[in-house]
Every structure is written in structure tokens, then in C-alpha cells.
Amino acid sequence: MERIALFDLDGTLIDSAPDIHSALDRMMARLGRPGFSRPEVWAMIGDGVSVLVQRACGARGLEASPEVIAEFLTDYEAHAAEETRPFEGIPEVLAALRATGWRLAVCTNKPERAARIVLDDLGLSPLLDAVGGGDSFPVRKPHPGHPLGLLAWMGGEASRAVLVGDHHNDTRAAKAAGIAPVFAAWGYGAPEMAEGAPVVAGPAELPALLAGLARG
């Protein structure tokens, strides 16, 4: 059976913080509150849109109503790829992995529609076999049902898969699912979020590490 590499999106494949930051600041301007610093935004990313907006609103003494969340998402989707870019080397790494027989998919807590908008705009979609968003399954990372649901879509097995991400949601979901975890140190997560997973300092290191995991 083919090996499958699942990738987190924000902070792993793409540097999306600039557009998320801008959308949060626009939301705060509509609500009459000041915006955020980039480190504040980094710390809010990783648990999906609802939690992102809840954290942002909570930091400014506001309630994240369903209407506020929906308005944020609509605005974000309209500007999702203005400043967002793949991390350096990511397109080449994905192409190299495909060339050596890996099947690739995105496993993200970002809503699937928003994820696909960004992936399409950045030209990454043709390199992927599947996209599993935070609303694609009844659960999302760190629940193991998220990556396992995506593997089921793809006809894959946990024992033949890896999950690469920059957040403890990724490492915890992988471990709970019986999937090999890999921590992306170039992303938004603090180093301790690796929680014992193999750490890669940059995308260029991924092919060699994954080849070793495949042989193992």
C-alpha cells in the first residue's frame, strides 16, 4: 500500500498569518476595538475559525457570537490569499514527495472551503490527493477521527501514514491515531508542542526524514 503524508495547512504548508491578521484587525475595526500584534495572532491559530474568533474577541472583552464568526469567515475567504504564501521550498518538496510515490493530503482545522480557496489560489491543489478541513468530519484535530477519517477517504492506513504539523493538535492527533508524527519547527507553534515527535527545522529536510520513516 502507498505511503500517505498528511499535512497541516496554516503554519506548515503556508504562511497564512498575514491574511488572518488582516481579517482579525478588520473585524476589530468593525467592532470598535484595536487590532493585534503578529505574535498575538500566531498564538490564536490552530484550532479552527470559531476558536480563533473566540480568542480574538475574548482578548478585547467581546463576545464571539455566531454572527460575528460568520462575518469574519466571509470577509476572510474574500481576501484569503492576498498575502498568504507557501513557506519557502514547500511546492518543490510536495512535488518531490509525489515523484517518489507519496500520496499527499491536507488535514487542517481551517474550514474546508477556506482551505481549498487558498490552495487553489496558491497553485498547490494539483499536488494534493485530498483535503480534510475542520468541518469535513464530525471531529477535528486533536481528535484522531480527523486524520483517520481523511485516511479512510483515501483508502489508506494509519500504519502507512505520517502527519506533519506545527501544533500540538497535530502531534496529539497523530499519536492517538497511530500515525507517525512530524513536527514542523518553522511554523507558528512553540517548540514544546513537538511533544517528542521528530522535528524538522525546514521544509527541505522533509523528503529525507519521510524516506527514513518509510523504510522504518
Side-chain angles (χ1 to χ4, degrees), residues 22 25 31 47-48 56 65 68 71-72 83 96 118 126 137 151 158-159 164 168 180 184 186 193 195 197 205:
S22 296
D25 282 358
L31 297 172
D47 291 284
S65 68
V68 168
E71 188 175 39
F72 168 85
E83 297 181 79
V118 176
F137 305 98
L151 287 176
S159 62
V164 183
H168 57 64
W186 63 85
M193 287 188 177
E195 298 184 347
E205 298 178 13

Side-chain angles (χ1 to χ4, degrees), residues 77-177:
E77 288 181 348
H79 304 278
E82 291 184 354
E83 297 181 79
T84 295
R85 298 292 182 270
F87 283 104
E88 185 176 356
I90 283 295
E92 295 80 6
V93 165
L94 295 181
L97 290 171
R98 284 184 66 90
T100 55
W102 286 83
R103 297 178 66 205
L104 310 177
V106 160
C107 184
T108 176
N109 282 342
K110 183 192 288 294
E112 183 178 340
R113 172 184 160 85
R116 289 186 180 277
I117 288 172
V118 176
L119 290 165
D120 287 346
D121 284 351
L122 298 183
L124 296 179
S125 293
L127 297 170
L128 302 168
D129 295 286
V131 176
D135 55 355
S136 301
F137 305 98
V139 294
R140 62 173 183 254
K141 299 177 299 183
H143 196 289
H146 188 174
L148 289 175
L150 183 52
L151 287 176
W153 275 4
M154 301 174 71
E157 294 182 359
S159 62
R160 300 285 296 169
V162 299
L163 173 54
V164 183
D166 70 316
H167 197 276
H168 57 64
N169 283 341
D170 302 301
T171 53
R172 292 174 184 175
K175 291 176 182 178

Side-chain angles (χ1 to χ4, degrees), residues 3-4 100 102 159-162 180 207-216:
R3 297 285 294 189
I4 294 177
T100 55
W102 286 83
S159 62
R160 300 285 296 169
V162 299
L209 176 63
L210 268 57
L213 292 173
R215 285 192 297 270

Side-chain angles (χ1 to χ4, degrees), residues 19-93:
D19 285 318
I20 293 173
H21 190 171
S22 296
L24 288 173
D25 282 358
R26 289 193 298 270
M27 178 181 73
M28 286 299 138
R30 292 192 297 271
L31 297 172
R33 295 291 195 276
F36 300 99
S37 69
R38 186 59 57 80
E40 286 178 304
V41 173
W42 288 334
M44 295 177 190
I45 296 172
D47 291 284
V49 166
S50 294
V51 175
L52 173 76
V53 176
Q54 288 165 10
R55 287 171 175 160
C57 287
R60 295 295 182 262
L62 299 168
E63 179 182 353
S65 68
E67 292 76 20
V68 168
I69 294 170
E71 188 175 39
F72 168 85
L73 183 57
T74 298
D75 175 68
Y76 172 71
E77 288 181 348
H79 304 278
E82 291 184 354
E83 297 181 79
T84 295
R85 298 292 182 270
F87 283 104
E88 185 176 356
I90 283 295
E92 295 80 6
V93 165

